[in-house]
Amino acid sequence: MKLPTGASRTVFIFAHPAGHVGAPRYYTPYFEEQGLDWHMVPMDVHPDDLAGTIRALAKSPSTAGFNLTMPHKPAAFELCDEVGPAAKFEGVVNTIRIESGGKLVGESFDGGGFLNTAREAGIFDPERCTVVIGAGGAGRAICHALAAGGLKRLRILNEVPGPVEALAAKLRGQFPDLDIDLEARFDDAGLCVNATSLGLHATDALPMDPARLPQDCAVFDIIAARRTGFMEACAARGLKVIDGVAMIRHQLPLQTAFWRGGI
């Protein structure tokens, strides 16, 4: 992998904290494969400084775009001058490109990356109930993608009731044929998704007890920084487990095309 020069361009990935961010190991080699002299650089940005940091870096011709991860996706949505259809529904962006005059255009590719991964892995069955744990930025994106992908039954769980109820109401408004419930059960699940940050650290609790999942249930954990305890426990039960790295790989072409202005 070649080192950046003064002619290189940078895609910044903002997080707070940022110590867990390992995305550059996937993004920078992909950029090189595509013939782009681009490099991804992680940056720990406090939420209070997000707007100023984006506006300052957007002025530099060396900046190719921005990637947003926890906890910045909702705030980044508010900073954009224009957003794409997925972001508009979800109220979050994970990708921002810079257009002429410094215009910021955002879109959310978490859902698209998730669904493409699930389809490739053969774990998306629209006839089976999917349980999504977490109604934050990633959870909203994933639920939206599942609904748009033709899922018939969706169960959404969240520690705090307000966000999950608002998400369910919004989904029902756009997808009236989708059966949504908020009951904490797993016995009928064909797919269980951890869309929370639980698992980023070794001391984190599991998002749910894997013993409650049916033997033929697949598991998708969006954490990419490490092999989580939840992944290990589910794999030990013989369940098929997909991790967040696969989701990153499927987002890469979507985001890169967006940064280049092709979407």
Side-chain angles (χ1 to χ4, degrees), residues 11 27 31 38 64-66 95-97 255-261:
V11 172
Y27 281 80
F31 295 150
W38 290 10
F66 304 103
T95 310
I96 296 176
R97 75 166 172 245
Q255 290 179 291
T256 303
F258 183 79
W259 284 316
R260 298 182 79 176

Side-chain angles (χ1 to χ4, degrees), residues 3-260:
L3 295 174
T5 69
S8 303
R9 303 189 73 204
T10 300
V11 172
F12 292 96
I13 178 167
F14 296 146
H16 181 69
H20 65 279
V21 176
R25 75 184 68 156
Y26 308 107
Y27 281 80
T28 299
Y30 179 81
F31 295 150
E32 188 170 349
E33 288 170 11
Q34 300 303 304
L36 298 169
D37 185 12
W38 290 10
H39 300 261
M40 174 170 274
V41 173
M43 187 178 291
D44 188 334
V45 178
H46 189 277
D48 292 346
D49 300 321
L50 181 67
T53 302
I54 287 179
R55 291 188 181 117
L57 289 172
K59 295 176 181 178
S60 171
S62 298
T63 302
F66 304 103
N67 194 333
L68 294 309
T69 187
M70 293 178 286
H72 296 311
K73 296 175 187 180
F77 174 89
E78 300 297 334
L79 292 173
C80 289
D81 301 298
E82 181 183 317
V83 297
K88 189 172 294 186
F89 178 88
E90 298 156 18
V92 297
V93 302
N94 76 334
T95 310
I96 296 176
R97 75 166 172 245
I98 309 157
E99 296 190 349
S100 59
K103 180 180 178 182
L104 301 178
V105 181
E107 181 57 297
S108 170
F109 292 102
D110 281 329
F114 164 83
L115 191 59
N116 288 346
T117 304
R119 283 174 167 154
E120 182 181 76
I123 62 172
F124 174 63
D125 181 352
E127 303 298 324
R128 292 282 302 274
C129 178
T130 292
V131 181
V132 176
I133 306 171
R140 292 201 293 274
I142 288 168
C143 289
H144 180 224
L146 286 165
L151 185 71
K152 294 184 177 178
R153 290 189 295 144
L154 174 64
R155 183 168 300 128
I156 317 170
L157 309 178
N158 198 62
E159 188 174 8
V160 180
V164 73
E165 290 166 354
L167 174 59
K170 198 167 187 179
L171 286 166
R172 289 184 181 114
Q174 185 165 329
F175 304 97
D177 294 331
L178 177 62
D179 180 2
I180 304 174
D181 74 75
L182 311 179
E183 185 182 359
R185 51 182 283 247
F186 300 89
D187 57 291
D188 58 345
L191 174 60
C192 179
V193 183
N194 173 33
T196 75
S197 61
L198 290 173
L200 272 179
H201 308 289
T203 54
D204 287 348
L206 301 188
M208 56 83 62
D209 179 2
R212 299 178 66 186
L213 296 173
Q215 195 60 47
D216 64 345
C217 182
V219 173
F220 198 129
D221 192 327
I222 70 166
I223 301 298
R226 58 187 299 275
R227 184 78 174 173
T228 69
F230 184 55
M231 295 179 202
E232 296 288 2
C234 291
R237 285 202 58 216
L239 306 182
K240 186 170 185 175
V241 177
I242 307 297
D243 63 25
V245 173
M247 186 168 154
I248 286 176
R249 294 192 190 279
H250 277 275
Q251 282 194 74
L252 269 168
L254 301 175
Q255 290 179 291
T256 303
F258 183 79
W259 284 316
R260 298 182 79 176

